[in-house]
Amino acid sequence: MFTKSDVERIKEMGAYLDPAYIADVFKVPVDVIEDVLRGNIQGDEMEPAGKTTLKVVEKARFVRNKTVCAVSPGGGKGKTSVLVSLAILAALRNPTGRPVLAIDLAEFGKMPLHMGFRFDDERIMPSITQCSDNPNQNEIFEYLAVRHPQIDNLYLIPGVKVADMHERIETNIIYRVLEVVQRHFELILVDLPARMDLWDEIVARTDMVLVVVSNNYPDIEGMAQLIPTLKRLGKEQQFLLVVNQNGTTGLKQGMFQRVLAGLCAREMPVDAWLPFESGLSGWLNGTETQHCILNNVESEYASELANLLSKLCPDWNLKTSNKKKSLLSWLRR
Ligand SMILES: Nc1ncnc2c1ncn2[C@@H]1O[C@H](COP(=O)(O)OP(=O)(O)OP(=O)(O)O)[C@@H](O)[C@H]1O
Ligand SMILES: [Mg+2]
């Protein structure tokens, strides 16, 4: 019934997933999976004839988690802060409690700083450039992925230590790392390099792209300029638009939407409208002792991110605030 590699895969999955879920993936009764996990089924040496295609389809179903990346029309719009804030929130709020992972592939890696990792002589920062050519699961979990100092189910794969090392990141190692971590983490948030020629293959391996822009006119033009890129990357239907107010002034939401619709010649829904959050710079500059999400998980910034998270992971059934809707329904009464 199972090949040896199926059995191996089921045991790997068994470390993280319920037998009932694995049974659903393999379309077999749950007690068969329990038998495999107990070691009572070893698996056949050969692939059963004619089953190869079916197996590929079945395995693809196993990826129930999400891999998310972020792009922007230019630097400094808030990609890293949005991804990190989402990672923290997701680790705290995902209903399974399964681990969440941030991967830093930027030339100037800022995820460790944003997440609160401090690497020094005591704790040496691992690097994807120091992996073997074909890193196995143990190498990735024991060496590359480091656990957050405060949140047990939050992990980081840090980027390069110095920008010059970036060109040594082999894309096939990135693919291998993604392939392994996608089997184990509930949500994976990837900080992309600024170099667009590196986006194609990485973005193709993600499920959703966050387009992060500021609420100003140049970024509306930037959004219109990004649309052909999203098409080329095959993500025209798989992106969420995040307007991040990283400056204190800018266009109001209604005006922003009207101008955006005019320039793109169609309605373009805004999926998250993030407020200015002074706690972010306070945290990065050391005047705050905690990330703003940990400081206040009920803040307007955190609530808007929770709404975004519920769009990314609708199956989590997060209870999110919808103040505008409840006010409207109250007015309609
Ligand atoms: N909502 C916000 N409120 C206040 N400050 C913000 C907000 N979002 C981002 N910032 C600040 O803006 C700066 C740039 O943010 P961030 O590093 O996340 O941008 P980025 O798009 O990742 O930049 P880069 O292109 O350099 O990677 C940071 O100092 C961050 O704290
Ligand atoms: Mg960044």
Side-chain angles (χ1 to χ4, degrees):
M1 175 189 227
F2 292 124
T3 63
K4 276 200 184 309
S5 71
D6 284 334
V7 167
E8 211 177 288
R9 173 62 49 86
I10 291 169
K11 286 183 176 166
E12 214 175 82
M13 290 163 79
Y16 296 86
L17 296 168
D18 289 343
Y21 180 79
I22 307 173
D24 185 42
V25 171
F26 282 85
K27 297 262 172 290
V28 292
V30 66
D31 48 338
V32 176
I33 297 296
E34 281 165 353
D35 266 355
V36 174
L37 295 176
R38 275 189 222 110
N40 297 342
I41 296 177
Q42 303 302 323
D44 299 327
E45 213 56 73
M46 300 293 291
E47 299 277 313
K51 278 194 86 179
T52 313
T53 321
L54 179 65
K55 224 176 93 184
V56 172
V57 174
E58 296 279 289
K59 278 191 176 172
R61 281 170 48 83
F62 169 39
V63 184
R64 68 161 180 177
N65 51 15
K66 282 237 164 65
T67 307
V68 177
C69 64
V71 301
S72 281
K77 312 291 177 195
K79 296 175 297 293
T80 307
S81 48
V82 167
L83 290 171
V84 165
S85 301
L86 276 175
I88 295 175
L89 201 62
L92 298 177
R93 297 204 48 191
N94 95 65
T96 64
R98 289 180 71 221
V100 171
L101 175 70
I103 306 183
D104 194 345
L105 297 178
E107 291 90 341
F108 296 91
K110 296 276 193 306
M111 275 188 151
L113 174 71
H114 276 259
M115 288 173 78
F117 283 91
R118 303 288 178 258
F119 294 103
D120 48 29
D121 290 346
E122 302 269 300
R123 195 173 195 194
I124 307 292
M125 182 172 130
S127 171
I128 211 164
T129 54
Q130 278 160 17
C131 266
S132 54
D133 289 348
N134 190 18
N136 63 23
Q137 189 174 302
N138 287 350
E139 187 176 358
I140 292 168
F141 290 145
E142 282 165 23
Y143 168 66
L144 254 193
V146 281
R147 191 198 294 231
H148 190 271
Q150 286 165 281
I151 307 170
D152 278 356
N153 62 335
L154 178 58
Y155 288 77
L156 166 72
I157 292 189
V160 289
K161 290 179 183 137
V162 291
D164 256 5
M165 298 286 279
H166 197 269
E167 62 188 31
R168 293 207 209 155
I169 301 185
E170 303 280 342
T171 41
N172 59 325
I173 297 184
I174 297 177
Y175 308 154
R176 171 72 188 144
V177 167
L178 281 174
E179 184 196 338
V180 170
V181 297
Q182 281 171 336
R183 287 193 227 125
H184 297 285
F185 288 88
E186 183 74 22
L187 183 68
I188 299 160
L189 298 128
V190 185
D191 210 4
L192 293 174
R195 276 180 51 196
M196 283 177 66
D197 58 322
L198 293 174
W199 289 4
D200 292 50
E201 291 296 326
I202 304 174
V203 174
R205 286 166 167 78
T206 66
D207 307 294
M208 190 61 85
V209 179
L210 302 179
V211 179
V212 181
V213 300
S214 308
N215 57 326
N216 56 36
Y217 182 75
D219 276 15
I220 296 180
E221 287 212 343
M223 176 67 211
Q225 288 166 332
L226 260 181
I227 288 173
T229 312
L230 292 169
K231 272 191 192 155
R232 181 173 53 79
L233 296 171
K235 298 293 175 189
E236 202 190 359
Q237 307 296 329
Q238 286 159 290
F239 76 87
L240 295 174
L241 178 56
V242 179
V243 181
N244 181 39
Q245 301 181 71
N246 59 347
T248 39
T249 54
L251 298 176
K252 295 247 176 338
Q253 188 166 1
M255 175 64 85
F256 183 94
Q257 297 232 230
R258 277 195 296 283
V259 180
L260 180 64
L263 212 64
C264 297
R266 66 176 161 105
E267 283 301 317
M268 182 80 64
V270 171
D271 296 288
W273 185 267
L274 297 177
F276 183 81
E277 171 55 71
S278 57
L280 272 174
S281 49
W283 161 240
L284 295 177
N285 291 316
T287 54
E288 293 282 347
T289 51
Q290 292 211 98
H291 189 279
C292 59
I293 298 286
L294 288 173
N295 258 351
N296 183 5
V297 83
E298 304 284 326
S299 68
E300 204 192 330
Y301 181 74
S303 309
E304 193 56 18
L305 277 168
N307 284 330
L308 179 62
L309 199 54
S310 69
K311 290 183 187 175
L312 281 172
C313 306
D315 51 316
W316 290 8
N317 292 322
L318 291 179
K319 284 197 186 70
T320 55
S321 70
N322 202 340
K323 291 184 192 138
K324 280 177 198 148
K325 196 171 164 197
S326 54
L327 181 64
L328 258 184
S329 51
W330 180 80
L331 285 172
R332 278 200 197 108
R333 271 194 255 153

